[in-house]
Amino acid sequence: MNSETTISDLAAAYNRSSKICLFTGAGVSYTQDERFRAPGWRQLLKEVLIDLRRGISLEIVEAEFESIEAKNPDLWAIASNIKNQASNKDAFIESLRRVILKENESVDQYGRLKHRNLEGATTLNAIVALCSEVRKIRKMPCFGVNHRIEAVLTANYDYFLEAAATSKHQASLFKPMTKPTSRIKGSKIPVYHIHGYLPFGKAKKGEDRSTVDVTERKRTEVDLVLDSDSYVRAYQPGSWTIEIIKQYLGNYMTIFIGFSFADVFLMEAIHAISGKANQPTHYALLRRGDVSTELEDMLKMVGIRPVFYDNHSQVPLLLAQVYESALPREGILVPQLEKEPRRFKPAEIWAMLW
């Protein structure tokens, strides 16, 4: 396997595939302005502890976090320790919600990601564009789902991808899938939150969404993978998480985006289905400086081909090439309001989506 897989190779594979999956990690929520960026797992745990210790000096809490980090071997053990610092599980989840969603700052009352969060989130914008199609043009383009995308799998708890589509295209393209009983609605693309999901928690008419009680939220929340114990349970043979990974990665070409591959159990689950008959080849968009020789070897072992880039700002250009590869060179006809359909070139279609 050639580790220097090119974007042309990925585009050709996408063009050959009738259906593909995306697997997204924390990197999809990256923004240039860190104030509006969903935190990585380590930073998230630190901010949860700060939230739990509201009223205590930041220096004292940061020293406490460093002490916890020094005594625990991995991030899941740190999560277990911090969870135990909360008065109860609900208090821990509420802190987690405040840190991840920043509900009064990130998502408006209609479930749309605010412009300041979407602006500069180049990878998130590109994924929404890849999952969309231009259906028709009225005064503005109207969007639907890209039917080549079978599903999105994500290890993220947050609602950012779903909210970004609602904000960017004024269309609900995704359906969060959070448990075995979840059902796909209409033509939406299912988004499988394999480590659990913190729902939007839409308020009733006239109600401040930030005051929605935790007991109401728990009706739609599934068990979150919050600590070592829940992490182990999530990857037990036959679990929902394992079955979703087997179902999609075992049958569909998958593109990993914004993914670090640091999750040991997840990599074991991917390895368990690799090498089987008719196993599709998977691809990962990775920044060159973030990839060690050991990671390259591990990806090769599980059948994932890395496609390297040098800067996160290049991701939209890469996904544009992938998307446009499946469109006819002469373009596609798009219906227009009170006008004859017009033929748009692939680059023009992507420009509207982007």
Side-chain angles (χ1 to χ4, degrees):
M1 185 183 295
N2 180 4
S3 63
E4 288 293 332
T5 305
T6 67
I7 190 61
S8 296
D9 296 330
L10 173 54
Y14 172 79
N15 196 4
R16 290 193 301 268
S17 302
S18 59
K19 295 281 189 178
I20 73 160
C21 292
L22 305 179
F23 205 137
T24 67
V28 303
S29 300
Y30 178 87
T31 63
Q32 298 296 328
D33 191 330
E34 63 180 17
R35 293 176 299 170
F36 311 127
R37 185 185 307 164
W41 184 225
R42 179 187 178 279
Q43 182 63 25
L44 181 146
L45 292 174
K46 183 177 179 180
E47 291 184 19
V48 167
L49 184 63
I50 292 170
D51 185 82
L52 289 169
R53 296 286 189 263
R54 289 190 303 276
I56 299 177
S57 164
L58 181 60
E59 290 184 359
I60 293 175
V61 181
E62 288 182 336
E64 181 183 1
F65 182 80
E66 290 177 5
S67 176
I68 293 171
E69 193 173 30
K71 296 175 182 177
N72 292 278
D74 57 48
L75 290 173
W76 290 109
I78 295 171
S80 296
N81 189 294
I82 293 176
K83 181 183 175 184
N84 292 335
Q85 307 296 321
S87 56
N88 54 53
K89 182 180 177 181
D90 286 347
F92 181 77
I93 290 176
E94 284 303 285
S95 286
L96 194 66
R97 285 182 65 86
R98 283 191 290 268
V99 170
I100 292 179
L101 300 182
K102 296 183 176 64
E103 288 188 276
N104 292 326
E105 301 173 16
S106 302
V107 181
D108 70 15
Q109 61 179 320
Y110 302 107
R112 298 175 300 202
L113 196 65
K114 290 186 177 179
H115 179 72
R116 63 188 184 186
N117 295 84
L118 191 60
E119 186 179 24
T122 52
T123 301
L124 188 60
N125 276 282
I127 290 173
V128 172
L130 181 67
C131 291
S132 308
E133 70 171 14
V134 180
R135 284 187 171 174
K136 55 188 174 183
I137 297 177
R138 295 182 184 273
K139 291 183 179 180
M140 298 289 290
C142 299
F143 304 99
V145 303
N146 175 5
H147 292 287
R148 282 179 176 264
I149 310 299
E150 179 70 10
V152 178
L153 279 65
T154 182
N156 298 341
Y157 306 129
D158 62 61
Y159 184 76
F160 276 24
L161 178 59
E162 292 92 334
T166 306
S167 177
K168 183 177 179 67
H169 288 166
Q170 302 300 305
S172 179
L173 303 180
F174 300 108
K175 169 66 169 65
M177 308 293 281
T178 61
K179 51 190 173 182
T181 56
S182 295
R183 294 290 180 265
I184 300 172
K185 291 184 177 180
S187 60
K188 293 182 181 180
I189 298 171
V191 180
Y192 291 92
H193 292 262
I194 62 170
H195 286 172
Y197 173 63
L198 288 168
F200 166 52
K202 185 176 180 180
K204 297 175 184 177
K205 186 176 181 180
E207 182 181 29
D208 180 357
R209 187 162 52 85
S210 65
T211 66
V212 177
D213 188 75
V214 66
T215 56
E216 289 294 316
R217 290 170 176 154
K218 285 171 69 177
R219 295 179 184 174
T220 52
E221 273 174 10
V222 298
D223 286 338
L224 296 169
V225 178
L226 298 170
D227 55 14
S228 297
D229 291 340
S230 54
Y231 180 49
V232 170
R233 286 197 302 273
Y235 286 92
Q236 290 293 317
S239 70
W240 179 73
T241 295
I242 289 292
E243 291 305 309
I244 291 298
I245 292 170
K246 287 169 59 178
Q247 176 183 345
Y248 287 100
L249 271 68
N251 293 288
Y252 299 97
M253 168 188 145
T254 300
I255 305 175
F256 291 83
I257 306 174
F259 211 84
S260 69
F261 298 100
D263 191 314
V264 176
F265 280 14
L266 177 55
M267 294 310 295
E268 289 178 355
I270 295 173
H271 184 249
I273 61 174
S274 64
K276 296 185 178 179
N278 300 318
Q279 172 71 20
T281 299
H282 305 309
Y283 297 83
L285 300 185
L286 295 167
R287 190 167 62 172
R288 196 178 303 275
D290 296 339
V291 182
S292 65
T293 302
E294 291 77 14
L295 177 56
E296 278 198 70
D297 291 341
M298 181 176 65
L299 294 178
K300 184 181 298 185
M301 185 172 60
V302 299
I304 299 174
R305 305 184 68 161
V307 178
F308 293 116
Y309 59 87
D310 296 309
N311 189 286
H312 291 311
S313 63
Q314 295 173 316
V315 172
L317 301 177
L318 299 178
L319 293 184
Q321 188 170 335
V322 170
Y323 191 95
E324 292 172 23
S325 71
L327 299 179
R329 288 187 178 181
E330 66 274 15
I332 58 175
L333 285 173
V334 180
Q336 298 186 91
L337 181 65
E338 298 179 353
K339 294 181 181 180
E340 290 296 318
R342 177 188 159 190
R343 191 173 296 279
F344 289 86
K345 296 292 186 181
E348 293 177 305
I349 294 292
W350 180 262
M352 285 188 279
L353 295 171
W354 173 248

